[in-house]
């Protein structure tokens, strides 16, 4: 085997070994894998142990990580999602990117940085870490909360903004006299390429995937996805635009098809590995000695970035009518720099637009801001809880109506005891927005400190439930432990909202029958379910097969527990 091929194999083995050792360590510390890849790159790179021989070859392959990431972002978008969140995505998100990028660029120009470099760095620092923030929100079950949805909306626009920013980098090489012409030419080429891609996607993608799916060959399906992804990117490359734009459009076109989930599952391993390689390549380019020499600038930039970004985002949230506690929390959550700052600044250095020293300082600031994010986010939660506690009734805006805001298709939970709390955790794990009510002020205060979306209110009163956005809700879950109150609420809800899904906790089978008569769609008798679960656990311990246990349980649940009803109700009457 030729020596250069062995060198390439050595580099691959070193990279894989570093990733296998370092990234799990960062996960164990509950930190982002992005930081793990960066650390691995620093360790094996030329400024660390110098274990990688040809950094340029690694960087070339690593660029495909961004292409795959943009494809996934397009795949996860949908017209419906953008429509629901449009006010925060295109209003709040657009203003945040423009104002933050402009503010940073003006400050850098005042510090004697060239205009093109200031534009690239400003655009990069305006973007927060989608990978980091979403990981934290999902792990904490907060993505379905109102502040989680607002933060996600801003991140969504930031992800969209990276497409034109990436296309802008090579154009900024031109002098001022030719820049306008270059921008116009690039915009024209990009427009033509976008139209061609959309037409091809609309009329070819679905029939193509239908034929490939009919072949029932997983390998052929994966190959087709790679062809669509890389082919779209190559088309954009021929038009003089970033491959990432083509990949993003391909993902967007596939997001509305029935093949989206299979495509996403197939592409995930490629994206994860190549994106990890990309961040490792950035780590290889970080010069620790140079950063140490510029440490005062790095620390000053870190404080300025996180404080300035938090203030600006919080202010915009207030302008958009969000409560102060929520605005502060969103601002602190998104105050860091993100992975796309690495992308833009590294590309700016590659094209000679950003000075290497300035780029190294920016990369260090972004990396440190990501390290500080969990602590800053926790601080935001504490500040939010303090502000809420000082409000009458524990509401962050003084009224439930303000908190409901533009909630749609959410679930209203009446009662937040042990059952209501469990339901809320399940909904949050499924990223379903909810709003809970309970009349125990201490319970409400404690739950809000744990980041549950719960408010003080008498859940047995329909007018209070109506103020929780019942008209726009998708379902109501009644967990009240007073049978008479639960019956009354179900009957009133059914009368006022005939199309509402109503799910109720019942005390026993007799109470379940009353709730069905009142208009409940589904009723779960807690004593019966507890008994069935106990029986299932016993069967499992005695060696019964899982499918056999499931069949037995389903048999007992059919027709509203009909097999149990006669015996249990008879025993209940005898005891009376």
């Amino acid at each position: 085997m030729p020596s250069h091929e062995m060198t390439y194999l050595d580099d691959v083995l070193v990279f894989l070994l570093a990733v296998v050792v370092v990234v799990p360590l960062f996960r164990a510390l509950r930190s982002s894998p992005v930081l793990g890849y960066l650390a691995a790159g620093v360790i094996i790179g030329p400024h660390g142990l110098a274990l990688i021989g040809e950094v340029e070859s690694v960087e070339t392959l690593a660029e495909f990580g961004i292409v795959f990431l943009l494809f996934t972002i397009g795949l996860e978008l949908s017209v419906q999602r953008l429509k629901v969140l449009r006010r925060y995505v295109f209003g709040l998100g657009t203003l945040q990117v423009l104002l933050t990028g402009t503010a940073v660029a003006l400050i850098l120009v005042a510090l004697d940085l060239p205009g093109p470099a200031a534009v690239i760095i400003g655009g990069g620092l305006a973007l927060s870490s989608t990978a980091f923030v979403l990981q934290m929100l999902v792990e904490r079950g907060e993505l379905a909360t109102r502040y989680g949805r607002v933060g996600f909306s801003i991140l969504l626009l930031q992800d969209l903004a990276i497409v034109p920013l990436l296309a802008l980098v090579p154009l900024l090489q031109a002098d001022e006299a030719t820049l306008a012409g270059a921008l116009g030419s690039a915009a024209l080429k990009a427009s033509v390429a976008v139209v061609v891609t959309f037409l091809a996607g609309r009329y070819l993608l679905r029939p193509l995937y239908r034929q490939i799916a009919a072949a029932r060959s997983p390998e052929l399906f994966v190959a087709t996805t790679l062809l669509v992804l890389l082919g779209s990117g190559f088309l954009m490359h021929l038009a003089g635009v970033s491959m990432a734009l083509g990949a993003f459009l391909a993902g967007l076109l596939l997001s509305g098809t029935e093949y989206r989930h299979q495509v996403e599952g197939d592409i995930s391993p490629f994206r994860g590995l190549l994106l990890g390689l990309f961040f490792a390549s950035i780590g290889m380019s970080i010069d620790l000695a140079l950063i140490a020499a510029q440490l005062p600038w790095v620390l000053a930039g870190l404080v300025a970035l996180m404080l300035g970004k938090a203030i600006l985002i919080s202010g915009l949230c207030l302008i958009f009518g969000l409560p102060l506690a929520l605005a502060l929390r969103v601002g602190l959550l998104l105050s860091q720099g993100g992975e796309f700052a690495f992308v833009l600044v590294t590309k700016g250095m590659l094209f000679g637009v950003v000075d290497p020293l300035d780029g190294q300082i920016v990369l260090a600031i972004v990396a440190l801001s990501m390290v500080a994010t969990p602590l800053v986010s926790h601080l935001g939660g504490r500040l939010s809880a303090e502000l809420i506690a000082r409000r009458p009734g524990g509401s962050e805006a003084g009224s439930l109506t303000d908190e409901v805001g533009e909630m749609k298709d959410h679930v209203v939970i009446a009662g937040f005891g042990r059952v209501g709390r469990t339901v809320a955790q399940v909904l949050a794990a499924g990223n379903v927005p909810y709003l809970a009510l309970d009349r125990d002020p201490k319970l409400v205060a404690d739950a809000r400190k744990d980041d549950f979306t719960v408010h003080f209110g008498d859940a047995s009163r329909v007018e209070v439930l109506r103020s929780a956005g019942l008209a726009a809700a998708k379902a109501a879950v009644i967990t009240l432990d007073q049978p008479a109150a639960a019956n009354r609420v179900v009957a009133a809800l059914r009368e006022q909202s005939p199309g509402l899904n109503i799910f109720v906790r019942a005390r026993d089978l007799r109470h379940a029958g009353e709730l069905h008569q009142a208009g409940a769609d589904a009723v779960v008798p807690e004593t019966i379910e507890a008994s069935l679960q106990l029986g299932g656990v016993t069967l499992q311990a005695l060696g019964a097969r899982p499918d056999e246990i499931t069949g037995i349980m389903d048999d007992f649940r059919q027709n509203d527990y009909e097999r149990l009803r006669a015996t249990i109700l008879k025993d209940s009457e005898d005891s009376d």
Side-chain angles (χ1 to χ4, degrees):
M1 184 177 290
S3 60
H4 71 276
E5 291 186 17
M6 286 300 295
T7 301
Y8 184 74
L9 179 59
D10 290 345
D11 291 345
V12 171
L13 290 174
V14 168
F15 165 72
L16 292 175
L17 179 61
V19 167
V20 168
V21 172
V22 177
V23 175
L25 178 61
F26 274 75
R27 283 190 176 274
L29 296 173
R30 302 183 65 82
S31 188
S32 171
V34 172
L35 296 178
Y37 285 115
L38 286 172
V42 171
I43 293 170
I44 64 179
H47 304 294
L49 299 178
L51 299 178
I52 292 289
E54 299 181 12
V55 178
E56 291 77 13
S57 61
V58 174
E59 290 175 344
T60 302
L61 182 61
E63 287 181 7
F64 282 100
I66 297 304
V67 173
F68 277 72
L69 177 61
L70 266 293
F71 176 76
T72 306
I73 290 172
L75 201 61
E76 292 174 350
L77 286 178
S78 67
V79 176
Q80 183 61 30
R81 175 174 285 188
L82 289 175
K83 184 178 179 181
V84 171
L85 300 174
R86 62 186 179 277
R87 181 168 180 262
Y88 294 134
V89 174
F90 298 110
L92 180 56
T94 301
L95 280 175
Q96 183 273 318
V97 171
L98 290 176
L99 293 180
T100 306
T102 301
V104 173
L106 291 175
I107 292 172
L108 294 177
V109 169
L111 294 173
D112 292 331
L113 255 71
V119 170
I120 293 301
I121 295 174
L125 294 181
L127 310 180
S128 306
S129 176
T130 300
F132 208 114
V133 172
L134 286 186
Q135 176 187 333
M136 287 198 309
L137 290 175
V138 170
E139 285 179 351
R140 298 174 182 176
E142 296 172 350
L143 189 57
T145 63
R146 193 181 182 197
Y147 104 91
R149 287 183 291 114
V150 172
F152 173 76
S153 300
I154 296 174
L155 289 171
L156 197 56
L157 193 282
Q158 292 177 355
D159 289 342
L160 295 175
I162 189 59
V163 177
L165 286 171
L166 282 173
L168 184 63
V169 175
L171 301 179
L172 290 175
Q173 285 182 297
D175 56 49
E176 294 183 5
T178 60
L179 180 58
L183 286 172
S185 175
L188 179 62
K189 290 179 180 178
S191 299
V192 172
V194 168
V195 171
V196 171
T197 303
F198 263 110
L199 290 175
R202 181 173 182 179
Y203 294 107
L204 297 178
L205 272 186
R206 198 182 293 268
L208 172 64
Y209 271 94
R210 189 179 296 119
Q211 293 297 322
I212 298 300
R216 297 185 181 279
S217 170
E219 297 81 4
L220 187 58
F221 196 94
V222 174
T224 303
T225 299
L226 292 175
L227 175 64
V228 170
L229 190 164
L230 297 176
S232 301
F234 184 67
L235 177 62
M236 287 295 172
H237 177 70
L238 291 178
V241 186
S242 168
M243 285 183 66
L245 176 59
F248 172 77
L249 291 175
L252 191 62
L253 290 167
L254 282 170
S255 68
T257 70
E258 61 270 35
Y259 307 105
R260 169 197 161 187
H261 296 293
Q262 182 63 45
V263 168
E264 189 172 4
D266 288 341
I267 218 69
S268 181
F270 296 98
R271 183 201 64 180
L273 188 59
L274 290 173
L275 198 57
L277 183 59
F278 171 79
F279 287 120
S281 71
I282 291 175
M284 293 177 202
S285 67
I286 294 177
D287 189 341
L288 294 179
L290 186 150
I291 291 171
Q294 301 293 329
L295 192 59
W297 282 107
V298 171
L299 295 179
L302 174 65
V303 174
L305 171 67
M306 300 196 77
L307 184 60
K309 217 168 166 185
I311 292 173
L312 191 147
I313 294 174
S314 298
L316 287 174
C317 287
L318 290 174
I319 292 173
F320 273 73
L322 298 174
L324 176 60
L326 189 148
L328 282 175
R329 195 161 189 196
V330 173
L332 289 168
L333 178 72
L334 303 180
S335 61
Q336 77 289 128
E339 51 272 7
F340 283 130
F342 293 126
V343 177
L344 278 173
V345 174
T346 302
K347 191 169 184 179
M349 290 192 289
L350 181 65
F351 278 88
V353 179
V354 177
D355 180 77
L357 175 59
D358 297 332
Q360 289 288 340
I361 292 174
V362 173
L363 293 180
I365 290 171
V366 172
L368 289 176
S369 72
M370 294 174 73
V371 172
T373 295
L375 178 61
V376 173
S377 176
H378 178 71
L379 174 63
R382 294 295 298 270
L383 285 175
S384 177
E386 287 295 326
L387 288 171
I388 292 168
R390 294 177 184 178
R391 290 281 185 178
S395 171
E396 44 190 281
S399 74
L400 180 57
T401 305
D402 288 339
E403 172 68 14
V404 172
E406 298 180 350
M407 287 187 80
K408 289 180 64 177
D409 294 335
H410 60 292
V411 177
V412 177
I413 302 175
F416 205 72
R418 65 185 191 283
V419 177
R421 192 182 187 97
T422 303
V423 170
Q425 289 176 311
V426 171
L427 293 175
N431 295 330
V432 176
Y434 70 88
L435 194 149
L437 294 166
D438 200 280
R439 61 180 181 180
D440 183 340
K442 185 178 185 307
L443 184 151
V444 171
D446 291 342
R448 290 185 72 92
K449 287 180 181 177
D450 292 335
D451 295 317
F452 287 102
T453 310
V454 57
H455 293 265
F456 178 80
D458 187 352
S460 66
R461 295 170 54 194
V462 178
E463 58 269 26
V464 176
L465 291 173
R466 193 182 302 120
S467 70
L470 201 62
K474 206 167 190 176
V477 177
I478 313 300
T479 70
L480 301 174
D481 58 1
Q482 302 91 10
N487 295 349
R488 185 173 66 254
V489 170
V490 170
L493 287 178
R494 179 54 67 218
E495 182 180 351
Q496 295 192 14
S497 304
L500 183 71
N501 293 308
I502 304 175
F503 310 115
V504 197
R505 156 213 185 180
R507 179 168 292 180
D508 49 34
L509 281 177
R510 185 193 299 276
H511 186 210
E514 296 172 357
L515 289 168
H516 274 299
Q517 289 181 355
D521 290 292
V523 180
V524 178
E526 58 179 337
T527 54
I528 303 303
E529 276 299 318
S531 302
L532 287 177
Q533 292 295 330
L534 184 59
V537 170
T538 304
L539 286 174
Q540 185 178 20
L542 295 175
R545 297 192 315 274
D547 58 333
E548 182 182 359
I549 296 172
T550 301
I552 292 171
M553 304 279 274
D554 289 344
D555 185 39
F556 276 109
R557 289 189 181 111
Q558 280 191 3
N559 300 319
D560 285 335
Y561 311 93
E562 191 59 41
R563 286 184 60 184
L564 299 170
R565 183 178 298 276
T567 302
I568 291 176
L569 291 183
K570 181 179 183 301
D571 291 343
S572 176
E573 290 171 359
D574 291 343
S575 64
D576 292 341

